[in-house]
Amino acid sequence: MMNKKWLVLGVILFCLIMGNTTERANAEEGSLETYTRQFSPVALSGYETANYQYFELEDYWNVEEAALYLEYNFSSLLNVEKSSITLSINGTPFHSFRPSEEHSKGISISIPSHLLVSGINTVMIEGKRTSSTDEGLYNVCDVTENDNNWMTINDSSSVTVSYASAPMKQSINQFFERFIGLDTVKSVDHAVVVNKNSSSAELESAIYGVAGLAKAKSDGSLPVPLLPEGDEKIAEKQVVIYVGMYNELPERIKTALGQVDVQQRALLKLIELEQQHILVVTSQNEEMLVKAGKYVANQELMEQTATNEKWIDADTDVLTPAVNVSRIITLTETGDRLMGPAHQEKSYFVSLPANQSIAEASKIRIDMRYAQNLNFNRSLVTVLINNKPIGSKRLSEVMANQDVLELSIPKNLDVNGNFTVTVAFDLEIEEMYCVSHDHVPWAYIDSSSMLQLNTVDRHDLLFNYYPSNFMHGGGFNSIAIVVPEQLTATDYTVLSNVFHLLGRYAQTNHGDVKVYSDNVDVSMLKNKQLIVLGSFSNNALIRQVNDKLYFRYAANGESFISNEKKSIEYEYGKKIGTLQLLPSPYSDGFGMLVISGAEPRYYELASKLVVSEDKLWQLYGDSIITDLDGQVSAYRFKEQHAQAAPILNLTERKDVLTFVLSAMVTMSVAIVALLLLTRKYWRKRRKSNETISKQLYI
């Protein structure tokens, strides 16, 4: 009996040991991957200064190690023996050093992994400096060179993380997390795939998915690839969303799905084929397939779907909450404290639909408190919108415990869509180097600070405001896409490029997107914002509107020709791509974006200019030309008209309403008084005439 017990214990112990060994072996088999986040360049100035850099870690990363790499330049006037740099991660200091010539060529510092968190991590680079001219400051309290830049952190600096990806569970939310993950996006290890010769419904469903996925991912520079079935790139992808009508699905996918009834419903189901994770989106009903695409575009629903399949029917609510643009926006919920001398600032992001602009009579109010040990002759607060100052105020000792700054937002500021409000304090103090840390100046922005916002729809057909005319209420503004009848892989790429940016601007999955081939009945294009892509030869609609284009094709359609703005050599005109924003020829008040070139590779080149926010700075006017050398030229053909001031809703403006009512009452009283005076005058004149007549009669 005793031997049997020992035998059982031995077997159990052996299993435990082998289990642990297997786990360790599996961990060792999974090779570590690396992710690097480059820093933006930083200039450090002032006696005490701090800068913040950010990087993100995915939930499914098991981080083994992380390192901060710094390259910097510093002033030759810097006293390196009395100057220092302190590095902190998520508020905890982990390394300090003195600047040196040796380190400036590059220094790598390990970041303690226990200080890292999933999601956003904050690196603070804090500097304290003394220059060679400040040697006497330790004995004599004097402030010099406070605003000079004394160190620059180069953009070659970065954070590098080594990690192993956790195994992916067979659930839609885990698949979605991987699809939009930083590593997946960086390596372009994902794709949305549609059936070859895809129908309008399949393209519409895929476009909603591409736009929603673009919004969900952190990296806004790279679009989600949209590929047709059969494209050789598909085999390289690890995570794939396959969108297609059920009857057109490849047999290998039908087999993996099993017997499913999708006549009146749509199905999202996760399958695995040849080590690829594939989310199949399918139906035999076109309306349900498009609805399923909107489900994919709803980030909250995708993150909440913990099963490997999801059925979509007529009762399934797939829409995101509607955007409600509030007139009163609170800048900070809890209040914000700013510490330290010299320049300190806090920025607030304000979300606004892309087609909305700040209108006249918008205001901002900053409720604040600040320290009383300031040099009030030199201390002030400034408010900036998108880094453009709109007003300042000198700080006052009398108002230190309860100060207010109210400013009107200039109507010519030209703010369109999302914007940033920055509150900047210059907290100057006397004899700064003699003040202990306990007496460091401070400022506090109260939670009652707010923005009173009036907005107006903006539909200017100019790239300065793109993509405002394609957005409405945070969603798509009745978009009709006209594509060549025979789509190439390039056409799918162009669609992906265009809707990646539109998706980044979209705040909801509302609105309509319809896809038509180039032989569409133009009556279907009425009351639509049009996106037309293709060449003169492969898109009949471009041939129809050629005489309305700013840059037109030659009669044979082989090349763009010269116009009043630009001379175009014939061979050069064959090798350029154009973006043109012009009024729709089918409906007043609607626009048409034409993305065109003599060959697909050239209009793909043009579409790359509207793929991400960081490309838009190159675009203005209503026509863009780009070539293979990367030259981008912008032109304006539409006449510039003075814009009338927007008409605000008077019922929402009590001050304006009161003024208007008072003016109306005053005008009414004046008119009545004028009528009474006129009546009195005519009566007196009539009486006088009667008296004269009697005298003459006598």
Coordinates of all heavy atoms in Angstrom, one line a residue, residues 332-339 344 346 348 366-371 374 381 395 399-404 423 425 427 441-449:
T332 N -12.0 70.6 -18.3 CA -11.4 69.7 -17.3 C -12.4 69.3 -16.3 O -13.1 70.1 -15.7 CB -10.1 70.2 -16.7 OG1 -9.7 69.3 -15.6 CG2 -10.3 71.6 -16.1
E333 N -12.6 68.0 -16.1 CA -13.6 67.5 -15.1 C -13.2 67.7 -13.7 O -14.0 68.0 -12.8 CB -13.8 66.0 -15.4 CG -14.4 65.7 -16.7 CD -15.9 66.2 -16.9 OE1 -16.5 66.4 -15.9 OE2 -16.3 66.5 -18.0
T334 N -11.9 67.6 -13.4 CA -11.5 67.7 -12.0 C -10.6 68.9 -11.7 O -10.2 69.1 -10.5 CB -10.7 66.4 -11.6 OG1 -9.6 66.2 -12.5 CG2 -11.6 65.2 -11.8
G335 N -10.2 69.6 -12.7 CA -9.2 70.7 -12.5 C -7.8 70.2 -12.7 O -7.5 69.0 -12.5
D336 N -6.9 71.2 -13.1 CA -5.5 70.8 -13.4 C -4.6 71.8 -12.7 O -4.8 73.0 -12.8 CB -5.3 70.8 -14.9 CG -6.1 69.7 -15.6 OD1 -5.9 68.5 -15.2 OD2 -6.8 70.0 -16.6
R337 N -3.5 71.2 -12.1 CA -2.5 72.0 -11.5 C -1.2 72.0 -12.3 O -0.8 70.9 -12.8 CB -2.2 71.4 -10.1 CG -1.3 72.3 -9.3 CD -1.1 71.8 -7.9 NE -0.5 70.5 -7.8 CZ 0.0 69.9 -6.7 NH1 -0.2 70.5 -5.5 NH2 0.5 68.7 -6.7
L338 N -0.6 73.2 -12.4 CA 0.6 73.3 -13.1 C 1.7 73.8 -12.1 O 1.4 74.7 -11.4 CB 0.5 74.3 -14.3 CG -0.5 73.9 -15.4 CD1 -1.9 74.4 -15.1 CD2 0.0 74.5 -16.8
M339 N 2.8 73.1 -12.1 CA 3.8 73.4 -11.1 C 5.1 73.8 -11.8 O 5.5 73.3 -12.9 CB 4.1 72.2 -10.2 CG 2.9 71.7 -9.4 SD 2.5 72.8 -8.1 CE 3.9 72.7 -7.0
Q344 N 4.6 77.2 -18.3 CA 3.9 75.9 -18.0 C 2.6 76.0 -18.8 O 2.0 77.0 -18.9 CB 3.6 75.8 -16.5 CG 4.8 75.9 -15.6 CD 5.8 74.7 -15.8 OE1 5.4 73.6 -16.2 NE2 7.0 74.9 -15.4
K346 N -1.1 73.6 -20.4 CA -1.9 72.4 -20.3 C -2.8 72.5 -21.6 O -3.4 73.6 -21.9 CB -2.8 72.4 -19.1 CG -3.7 71.2 -19.0 CD -3.0 69.9 -18.8 CE -3.9 68.7 -18.6 NZ -3.2 67.5 -18.5
Y348 N -6.0 70.9 -24.1 CA -7.3 70.1 -24.0 C -7.8 69.9 -25.4 O -7.8 70.8 -26.3 CB -8.3 70.9 -23.3 CG -7.9 71.3 -21.9 CD1 -7.4 72.6 -21.6 CD2 -8.0 70.4 -20.8 CE1 -7.0 72.9 -20.3 CE2 -7.6 70.7 -19.5 CZ -7.1 72.0 -19.3 OH -6.7 72.3 -18.0
I366 N -11.7 80.9 -18.7 CA -10.7 80.1 -17.8 C -10.9 80.7 -16.4 O -10.6 81.8 -16.1 CB -9.3 80.3 -18.3 CG1 -9.2 79.9 -19.8 CG2 -8.3 79.5 -17.5 CD1 -9.5 78.5 -20.1
D367 N -11.3 79.8 -15.5 CA -11.3 80.1 -14.1 C -10.1 79.6 -13.4 O -9.7 78.4 -13.6 CB -12.6 79.5 -13.4 CG -13.9 80.1 -13.9 OD1 -13.9 81.3 -14.3 OD2 -14.9 79.4 -13.9
M368 N -9.3 80.4 -12.7 CA -8.0 80.0 -12.3 C -7.6 80.6 -11.0 O -8.2 81.6 -10.5 CB -7.0 80.4 -13.4 CG -7.0 81.9 -13.7 SD -6.0 82.3 -15.1 CE -6.5 84.0 -15.4
R369 N -6.6 79.9 -10.4 CA -5.9 80.4 -9.2 C -4.4 80.3 -9.4 O -4.0 79.4 -10.2 CB -6.4 79.7 -7.9 CG -7.9 79.8 -7.7 CD -8.2 79.2 -6.3 NE -8.0 77.7 -6.2 CZ -8.9 76.8 -6.6 NH1 -10.0 77.2 -7.2 NH2 -8.6 75.5 -6.5
Y370 N -3.6 81.0 -8.7 CA -2.2 80.9 -8.8 C -1.5 81.4 -7.6 O -2.1 82.1 -6.7 CB -1.7 81.6 -10.1 CG -2.4 83.0 -10.3 CD1 -1.9 84.1 -9.7 CD2 -3.5 83.1 -11.2 CE1 -2.5 85.4 -10.0 CE2 -4.1 84.3 -11.5 CZ -3.6 85.4 -10.8 OH -4.2 86.6 -11.1
A371 N -0.2 81.1 -7.5 CA 0.6 81.5 -6.3 C 0.8 83.0 -6.2 O 0.6 83.7 -7.2 CB 2.0 80.8 -6.4
L374 N 4.7 85.4 -7.1 CA 5.1 85.7 -8.5 C 5.6 87.1 -8.7 O 5.2 88.0 -7.9 CB 3.9 85.5 -9.5 CG 3.3 84.0 -9.5 CD1 2.1 84.0 -10.4 CD2 4.4 83.0 -10.0
V381 N -1.1 84.8 -18.4 CA -1.7 83.6 -18.9 C -2.1 83.9 -20.3 O -2.6 85.0 -20.7 CB -2.9 83.2 -18.0 CG1 -4.0 84.3 -18.0 CG2 -3.5 81.9 -18.6
L395 N -1.2 88.4 -14.8 CA -1.7 87.9 -13.5 C -1.6 89.0 -12.5 O -0.7 89.9 -12.6 CB -0.9 86.7 -13.1 CG -0.8 85.5 -14.1 CD1 -0.1 84.3 -13.5 CD2 -2.3 85.1 -14.5
M399 N -6.0 89.3 -7.5 CA -6.9 88.3 -8.0 C -6.4 86.9 -8.0 O -7.0 85.9 -8.5 CB -7.3 88.6 -9.5 CG -7.9 89.9 -9.7 SD -9.5 90.1 -9.0 CE -10.4 88.8 -9.9
A400 N -5.3 86.7 -7.2 CA -4.6 85.4 -7.3 C -5.4 84.2 -6.8 O -5.3 83.1 -7.3 CB -3.3 85.5 -6.4
N401 N -6.4 84.5 -5.9 CA -7.2 83.4 -5.4 C -8.5 83.1 -6.1 O -9.1 82.1 -5.9 CB -7.5 83.6 -3.9 CG -6.3 83.6 -3.0 OD1 -5.4 82.8 -3.2 ND2 -6.3 84.5 -2.0
Q402 N -8.8 84.0 -7.1 CA -10.0 83.8 -7.8 C -10.0 84.7 -9.1 O -10.6 85.7 -9.1 CB -11.3 84.1 -7.0 CG -12.6 83.6 -7.7 CD -13.7 83.8 -6.7 OE1 -13.6 84.3 -5.6 NE2 -14.9 83.3 -7.1
D403 N -9.3 84.3 -10.1 CA -9.2 85.1 -11.3 C -10.0 84.4 -12.5 O -10.2 83.2 -12.5 CB -7.7 85.2 -11.7 CG -7.5 86.5 -12.5 OD1 -8.4 87.1 -12.9 OD2 -6.3 86.9 -12.7
V404 N -10.3 85.2 -13.4 CA -11.1 84.8 -14.6 C -10.6 85.4 -15.8 O -10.2 86.6 -15.8 CB -12.6 85.1 -14.5 CG1 -13.4 84.7 -15.7 CG2 -13.2 84.5 -13.2
V423 N -3.9 76.3 -22.5 CA -3.8 77.4 -21.5 C -2.3 77.4 -21.1 O -1.8 76.4 -20.4 CB -4.7 77.1 -20.4 CG1 -4.7 78.3 -19.4 CG2 -6.2 76.9 -20.9
F425 N 0.7 79.3 -18.9 CA 1.1 80.3 -17.9 C 2.6 80.6 -18.0 O 3.4 79.7 -18.2 CB 0.8 79.7 -16.5 CG -0.6 79.7 -16.1 CD1 -1.4 78.5 -16.5 CD2 -1.3 80.7 -15.5 CE1 -2.7 78.5 -16.2 CE2 -2.6 80.6 -15.2 CZ -3.4 79.5 -15.5
L427 N 5.0 81.8 -15.3 CA 5.0 82.0 -13.9 C 6.4 82.5 -13.5 O 7.3 81.7 -13.2 CB 4.7 80.8 -13.2 CG 3.3 80.1 -13.5 CD1 3.1 78.8 -12.8 CD2 2.2 81.1 -13.2
P441 N 6.4 78.1 -7.7 CA 5.1 78.7 -8.1 C 4.2 77.7 -8.7 O 4.6 76.7 -9.3 CB 5.5 79.8 -9.1 CG 6.8 79.4 -9.6 CD 7.5 78.7 -8.5
W442 N 2.9 78.0 -8.7 CA 1.9 77.0 -9.2 C 0.8 77.8 -9.8 O 0.6 79.0 -9.5 CB 1.4 76.1 -8.1 CG 0.8 76.8 -6.9 CD1 1.5 77.2 -5.8 CD2 -0.6 77.3 -6.8 NE1 0.6 77.9 -5.0 CE2 -0.6 78.0 -5.5 CE3 -1.7 77.2 -7.6 CZ2 -1.8 78.5 -5.0 CZ3 -2.9 77.8 -7.1 CH2 -2.9 78.4 -5.8
A443 N 0.0 77.1 -10.6 CA -1.3 77.7 -11.2 C -2.2 76.6 -11.2 O -1.9 75.4 -11.4 CB -1.0 78.3 -12.5
Y444 N -3.5 76.9 -11.1 CA -4.6 75.9 -11.1 C -5.7 76.3 -12.0 O -6.2 77.4 -11.9 CB -5.1 75.7 -9.6 CG -6.1 74.6 -9.5 CD1 -5.7 73.3 -9.5 CD2 -7.5 74.9 -9.5 CE1 -6.7 72.2 -9.4 CE2 -8.4 73.9 -9.3 CZ -8.0 72.5 -9.3 OH -8.9 71.5 -9.2
I445 N -6.1 75.4 -12.9 CA -7.2 75.7 -13.8 C -8.4 74.9 -13.2 O -8.4 73.7 -13.1 CB -6.9 75.1 -15.2 CG1 -5.6 75.8 -15.8 CG2 -8.1 75.4 -16.2 CD1 -5.1 75.2 -17.1
D446 N -9.4 75.7 -12.9 CA -10.6 75.1 -12.2 C -11.5 74.4 -13.1 O -11.5 74.6 -14.3 CB -11.4 76.3 -11.5 CG -12.3 75.7 -10.4 OD1 -11.8 75.6 -9.3 OD2 -13.4 75.4 -10.7
S447 N -12.2 73.4 -12.6 CA -13.1 72.6 -13.4 C -14.3 73.3 -13.9 O -15.0 72.8 -14.8 CB -13.6 71.4 -12.5 OG -14.3 71.9 -11.4
S448 N -14.5 74.6 -13.5 CA -15.6 75.4 -14.0 C -15.2 76.1 -15.3 O -16.1 76.7 -15.9 CB -16.1 76.4 -13.0 OG -15.0 77.2 -12.6
S449 N -14.0 76.0 -15.7 CA -13.5 76.5 -17.0 C -14.3 75.9 -18.1 O -14.5 74.6 -18.1 CB -12.0 76.3 -17.2 OG -11.3 77.0 -16.1

